[in-house]
Amino acid sequence: MWLKLLEKVLANSYKIHHHFYQLLELKRVHKSFWKKLLWSWVIFWIVICAWMFSFYNHHAIEKRKVTLASMCVERARMLQDQFNASMTHVQAISILISTFHHGKNALAIDQRTFAKYTEKTAFERPLMSGVAYAIRVLHLEREKFERQQGWSIRKMNTVQQNPVHKDIHMPEKFEPSLVQEEYAPVILAQDTVAHMVSLDLLSGKEDCDNALRARESGKGVLTTPFRLLKTNRLGVILTFAVYKRDLPSDATPKDRVEATDGYLEGIFDIESLAENLFQQFAGKKTILVNLYDTTNRSQPISMYGSEVYVDKLEHVIALNFGDPLRNHEMRCRFKHKAPLSWLAITTTGSTLVITLLLGYIVFATMNHMAKVQEEYNRMVELKKKAEAADVAKSQFLSTVSHEIRTPMHGVLGILDILLDTDLDVTQQDHVRTAQASGKTLVSLLNEVLDQAKIESGKLDLESVPFDLRAIMDDVLSLFSGKSQENGVELAVYISHHVPDMLIGDPGRFRQIITNLMGNLIKFTEKGHIFVTVHLVEEVMETTDIEREASSRNTLSGFPVPDKRRSWAGFKNIGQDGRNCSLSPDRISVIVSVEDTGEGIPQEAQPRIFTPFVQVGSSISRKQAGTGIGLSISKCLVTLMDGELGFVSIPKVGSTFTFTASFTIGCSKQSKIIYPEFQCMRALVVDSRQVRAIVSKYHVQRLGIQVEVVPSLDHALSTNLRELSSLSISGLLAGRKILVVDDNYVNLKVAAGALKRYGSLMWSWLRVARRHSLFSSLLTHLMPASWTSKCLQ
């Protein structure tokens, strides 16, 4: 029943869930409603548990009744069977007496023979304490009978009123029987009841009534329970009439009275016999047995058993002892009270505890959910207010930024015009300082405006074709002056797997690169800043740059962090290096920007992308900035379906890596090929293979065939004749360049082409200027004016 109920509840759980939330959303539902519901739940389950306890207890009582009935029936059956056996044997003795004592010879059975016979056949009468035979004597025959027996017929009532003891069993102590029409003196008796010899049965009320009914009915009859002679214990007497001749089955009572010759009695000591009988049962100590004579239903006579009992549970069985006028019953009770039903207690107790806990949990959940709902409603209101305030802030920032940028552009324009006028050196320095401050302010306004657009969700990306290599060249040119001032080498490497043309937002991509390099160049005072661009698929394999990189084999020789740790937490990069969310016509590039600067302290790394938060107060005072560049970059990378990460080691450097998704554009020759450089060959000499590969990448973009060797001695010893015939040769050793050609025009063209890579060329020429071989050859082959200009 409970399983079916549970199935129905689970089947309709969605309805309950729906109605519950409808109730929860109603503002009219008060807390008192849930309290009333909880009390109703508790009362309901208390009633259910009370019913369960009653059910299980009733089941235990019924089981106890069945057990009691089984035990009582077993005892009643044995008592009935043994009584029937005893009665049958008494009847057999009556037939024996009728046959041999009266039919054959009056002296065939004497007292000694009868006592011996009844003693040996006592096992046939397990419930009887003794057997006695009384002969019928008429008043006219009394004197003759007494002379033959040698004793007088004695009266029984006196003995009944005064219980017989062992020292008063002599017949002469009894009073003679009164004069009456007939007598029934006992002449034969079993040794156990030998004290009854000479006693007149008809002088006792119970025995007289029993004898008269027995001779009229021809069947065994029982007396009412009474106190027996000698033992004074409660018992009954079974009486059979002994006839002189065989009577027909339809004989009348009168015929039976005339044919009566005597009476055979079997004495039952109920108390002792029943006690001995019930001792045979293993469970004798478990139940109490009572025997009753219920002939008078209003006043039943107790024959055996105690009237004191503690258990009210009773089982009654009717007994049939062969006398139709006598009714007997056996009543059985348990000796001890029924124990508590642990099944009922544990089942109902556990059910009640579970339901109370469930009710408490539901009530607590209701209260918690109500509180959560209230908090949620309050948070929704606060969220609306916050969003409204954020919109107002964004609108304010946008408006103010536009309003400030307009006059700032005017100021910058006037400063440009002012620089074209005749100013002395001090005035020009002041104007350039004001111009730089104005540009910084405009950049700050742009960043604030971008942050406002990002927070309001109004920042959209363009989708136009662009050349990524050209963008990287422009960004490096932008920071070349700053890197020269700091003495920091600046380089970029783009994998040949990256397509020539991509479709995306070049402005925002340039902004990300600019923000990252701008932050790194502020905190890098030595070493290098190196930018690499690959496809995401390549990071799962060893690229040329990564193969050659080690703790010291870097662009500048300074150690750098392992860049692979910067993208280790990217979720969009699978094990095969592919982004499964991209369509076939889109690619994902990964850009890494490494430096050998101060690094980021460990305690500041978790908040590095938080808007308007810098690494520390000392840093903010040392390097001007707003602290929103990295935050804007991260948001822009997210808009490009990418991720931004970093790895930083204090006093070693930092590496920022991000991914961005673009659509593959139309194929276009991206290499810058100048006709003047065709069929020219260059030799790059560098002991650091990473730097040699970067140099080879840039020289190849001019259309020059490039070879790389680890040292100049190796190149000269390998092929000196081939070296002297080169149209253009790049000899790089420790960032030193050697340009040799006997044609002035070729040198001028090469210098003009290399000038597009200002920072790279400046770095090479600055280092090469200290190289004596390069200076001598350059002075020998080119005019001094051109050489000095080139060196500048």
Side-chain angles (χ1 to χ4, degrees), residues 396-406 445-446 448-449:
F396 172 77
L397 290 176
S398 178
T399 303
V400 171
S401 298
H402 283 292
E403 294 297 332
I404 295 177
R405 282 196 301 176
T406 301
L445 292 174
N446 291 334
V448 172
L449 183 60

Side-chain angles (χ1 to χ4, degrees), residues 94 641 712:
S94 68
D641 298 328
L712 183 60

Side-chain angles (χ1 to χ4, degrees), residues 281-292:
F281 293 93
K284 57 185 178 295
K285 297 181 179 180
T286 305
I287 65 172
L288 299 175
V289 179
N290 290 64
L291 298 177
Y292 289 91

Side-chain angles (χ1 to χ4, degrees), residues 441-472:
L441 181 58
V442 171
S443 176
L444 174 61
L445 292 174
N446 291 334
E447 290 181 350
V448 172
L449 183 60
D450 289 341
Q451 183 68 25
K453 288 182 179 180
I454 291 172
E455 291 179 354
S456 61
K458 296 181 179 179
L459 184 63
D460 298 325
L461 299 180
E462 294 181 349
S463 182
V464 296
F466 68 95
D467 186 353
L468 185 142
R469 291 172 175 82
I471 291 177
M472 299 303 298

Side-chain angles (χ1 to χ4, degrees), residues 224-242:
T224 58
F226 65 96
R227 295 289 173 180
L228 298 177
L229 297 176
K230 184 180 178 181
T231 61
N232 198 32
R233 298 169 68 94
L234 199 63
V236 294
I237 295 177
L238 174 65
T239 304
F240 278 96
V242 178

Side-chain angles (χ1 to χ4, degrees), residues 302-434:
S302 176
M303 302 169 59
Y304 170 79
S306 174
E307 295 295 331
V308 179
Y309 52 88
V310 294
D311 193 1
K312 296 181 180 181
L313 185 62
E314 183 182 60
H315 186 75
V316 180
I317 296 179
L319 301 175
N320 182 14
F321 290 150
D323 188 349
L325 298 181
R326 293 288 175 186
N327 297 324
H328 300 86
E329 288 181 354
M330 177 183 288
R331 299 179 183 179
C332 302
R333 294 184 179 88
F334 281 106
K335 190 174 183 180
H336 304 287
K337 286 186 177 180
L340 295 176
S341 176
W342 289 108
L343 177 62
I345 294 174
T346 55
T347 303
T348 56
S350 59
T351 303
L352 183 61
V353 170
I354 291 173
T355 52
L356 291 178
L357 289 176
L358 183 60
Y360 175 76
I361 292 172
V362 172
F363 180 73
T365 304
M366 296 291 188
N367 287 339
H368 179 70
M369 294 186 70
K371 292 180 181 179
V372 170
Q373 185 68 23
E374 292 177 0
E375 292 293 330
Y376 172 75
N377 294 334
R378 189 170 65 86
M379 293 301 294
V380 167
E381 295 296 330
L382 294 176
K383 180 176 177 292
K384 291 180 180 179
K385 293 180 181 180
E387 289 176 348
D390 186 64
V391 171
K393 182 197 71 173
S394 300
Q395 292 177 352
F396 172 77
L397 290 176
S398 178
T399 303
V400 171
S401 298
H402 283 292
E403 294 297 332
I404 295 177
R405 282 196 301 176
T406 301
M408 281 304 304
H409 285 301
V411 172
L412 292 176
I414 296 298
L415 291 175
D416 288 336
I417 296 173
L418 187 60
L419 283 174
D420 294 335
T421 61
D422 294 333
L423 300 174
D424 57 24
V425 177
T426 303
Q427 290 174 338
Q428 288 182 358
D429 185 61
H430 291 337
V431 172
R432 288 192 182 95
T433 302

Side-chain angles (χ1 to χ4, degrees), residues 89-109 114 117 133-135 187-188 240-247 256 259-264:
H89 196 262
V90 170
Q91 188 176 9
I93 293 176
S94 68
I95 297 173
L96 178 66
I97 293 174
S98 175
T99 302
F100 291 95
H101 186 71
H102 296 289
K104 299 294 183 181
N105 185 0
L107 300 177
I109 300 177
F114 185 82
Y117 173 76
Y133 173 68
I135 191 171
I187 61 173
L188 302 175
F240 278 96
V242 178
Y243 300 103
K244 298 177 183 179
R245 61 182 183 276
D246 293 334
L247 295 174
R256 293 181 183 280
T260 300
D261 197 17
Y263 310 95
L264 183 65

